[in-house]
Amino acid sequence: MKEIINELKSKKSIYENLIQKTNQHLSQSADEGHLRVGRKKGKPQYFQITKKGDTNGRYLCQKDSNEKALTLRLAQRDYNLKLLKNCEAWKKAIDAFLSGIPEIEPSEILSNYPARRQLIKPAVLSNDEYIFKWQNSTYKGKAFDSIDEGLLTNRGERVRSKSEKIIADRLNFLGIPYRYEAPIKLNVNGHFKIFYPDFTILNPNTCKEIILEHFGMIDNDEYAVSMVRNFNLFILNGYVPGKDFIFTQETSDIALDTRVLDKLLAPLCRKLN
């Protein structure tokens, strides 16, 4: 909900800016009335209406440069008036919505009663409680071939490559909850199969899960074919690239670019409200 509220506040700011600019443009206009557009033999004709009840208006000849300029100004003025009315309506609606929102969300109710927390089973967890529960839940990941295989992350987990260690350590440093090679079910031609994506991360602001795959050998033909197959599989199962499916990549000549990784992870860093 906080994400929605912030989005509405951002929209309101945009509308307020448009209202201010549009009022300035209208105040600088000395033209009267509005534009009526008719058609004759399939071609548009323009008329200036200045009197109430007048349904015809004065014909504006487009061969006359002054009247053509007036036509443009009237069209712009009509648009500005509609834009102003629309923005004011949106601002009013947002103000009404924001003014009616309770001070806290259902998930925050228990924060006002810490002494009762152990006595109550909440219907809705706060973000912090959900993240803690998600991060500490057990799962059976993909098995390693030997006890010596892999590298240890700063969190003490075993991963399969230096690049995966870099990603895991960066997630941990940024405070982004993640699971390494946690199983998920994907529909493959009507049958569900278990897959182990490199990382399942949790957006700490929305508590939505996101898959992060690292494609480490895309210059290898066989690996590239597998990468495309997996990429398509995620999309066919409803994962939208850039939204709930992100990826990093490298070749034998181009290493994982940590600047790209940070760009991908920046929207997932915890926002302070």
Side-chain angles (χ1 to χ4, degrees):
M1 179 57 76
K2 288 181 179 179
E3 199 171 53
I4 295 173
I5 292 173
N6 290 335
E7 178 68 18
L8 287 174
K9 287 180 177 179
S10 176
K11 289 287 187 181
K12 178 185 173 182
S13 178
I14 293 172
Y15 296 141
E16 287 175 337
N17 188 46
L18 282 169
I19 289 170
Q20 181 182 8
K21 288 183 177 180
T22 306
N23 274 322
Q24 288 177 349
H25 291 317
L26 288 170
S27 67
Q28 296 168 0
S29 174
D31 299 310
E32 295 182 355
H34 65 274
L35 188 70
R36 181 177 77 84
V37 181
R39 301 195 75 82
K40 184 176 182 180
K41 296 182 179 180
K43 294 183 179 181
Q45 289 186 319
Y46 305 103
F47 303 84
Q48 181 186 22
I49 295 181
T50 56
K51 295 179 181 180
K52 188 176 182 180
D54 182 4
T55 58
N56 294 314
R58 183 176 71 85
Y59 174 68
L60 299 172
C61 179
Q62 298 305 290
K63 293 182 179 180
D64 184 297
S65 59
N66 290 328
E67 296 205 336
K68 185 174 182 178
L70 175 59
T71 303
L72 295 174
R73 294 197 304 272
L74 288 173
Q76 185 65 48
R77 184 173 183 274
D78 288 350
Y79 166 78
N80 286 340
L81 287 169
K82 287 182 173 63
L83 176 64
L84 179 63
K85 184 176 180 180
N86 182 267
C87 288
E88 288 176 338
W90 270 106
K91 179 182 177 299
K92 182 178 179 181
I94 291 174
D95 284 337
F97 178 80
L98 293 176
S99 66
I101 294 177
E103 292 183 2
I104 62 173
E105 295 185 41
S107 61
E108 299 171 321
I109 291 175
L110 281 181
S111 63
N112 292 334
Y113 307 100
R116 303 188 183 198
R117 177 63 187 89
Q118 301 303 319
L119 306 175
I120 297 170
K121 184 178 180 181
V124 184
L125 295 177
S126 68
N127 270 23
D128 288 340
E129 288 177 316
Y130 183 87
I131 290 169
F132 180 82
K133 185 176 180 180
W134 185 90
Q135 187 67 89
N136 290 279
S137 63
T138 58
Y139 64 91
K140 187 176 181 180
K142 188 177 180 181
F144 284 81
D145 293 334
S146 71
I147 59 173
D148 298 323
E149 184 183 359
L151 302 168
L152 287 182
T153 69
N154 291 342
R155 213 165 72 173
E157 299 162 309
R158 292 170 68 198
V159 294
R160 300 178 190 276
S161 69
K162 291 181 180 179
S163 293
E164 288 183 342
K165 173 176 165 52
I166 291 171
I167 295 170
D169 289 343
R170 196 62 184 160
L171 289 168
N172 186 49
F173 174 78
L174 294 172
I176 299 173
Y178 72 88
R179 297 170 179 168
Y180 179 69
E181 291 189 343
I184 62 171
K185 288 183 179 181
L186 296 180
N187 189 320
V188 182
N189 300 322
H191 300 282
F192 283 98
K193 294 185 177 181
I194 300 295
F195 288 82
Y196 298 88
D198 296 329
F199 297 91
T200 303
I201 59 182
L202 190 72
N203 186 328
N205 302 297
T206 63
C207 288
K208 301 295 184 183
E209 292 185 4
I210 299 171
I211 297 300
L212 192 166
E213 283 277 59
H214 176 66
F215 298 120
M217 298 185 296
I218 61 174
D219 52 344
N220 178 287
D221 291 343
E222 185 177 346
Y223 183 93
V225 170
S226 176
M227 180 192 76
V228 173
R229 185 180 294 113
N230 287 341
F231 198 98
N232 291 342
L233 184 61
F234 278 114
I235 294 175
L236 291 174
N237 276 267
Y239 290 88
V240 179
K243 183 181 178 182
D244 38 30
F245 171 50
I246 58 178
F247 62 93
T248 53
Q249 54 194 338
E250 63 181 313
T251 70
S252 55
D253 295 323
I254 304 174
L256 170 66
D257 192 329
T258 55
R259 297 170 302 173
V260 174
L261 176 62
D262 284 347
K263 283 283 187 181
L264 286 171
L265 299 180
L268 305 177
C269 293
R270 195 71 181 265
K271 298 174 184 176
L272 298 177
N273 297 307

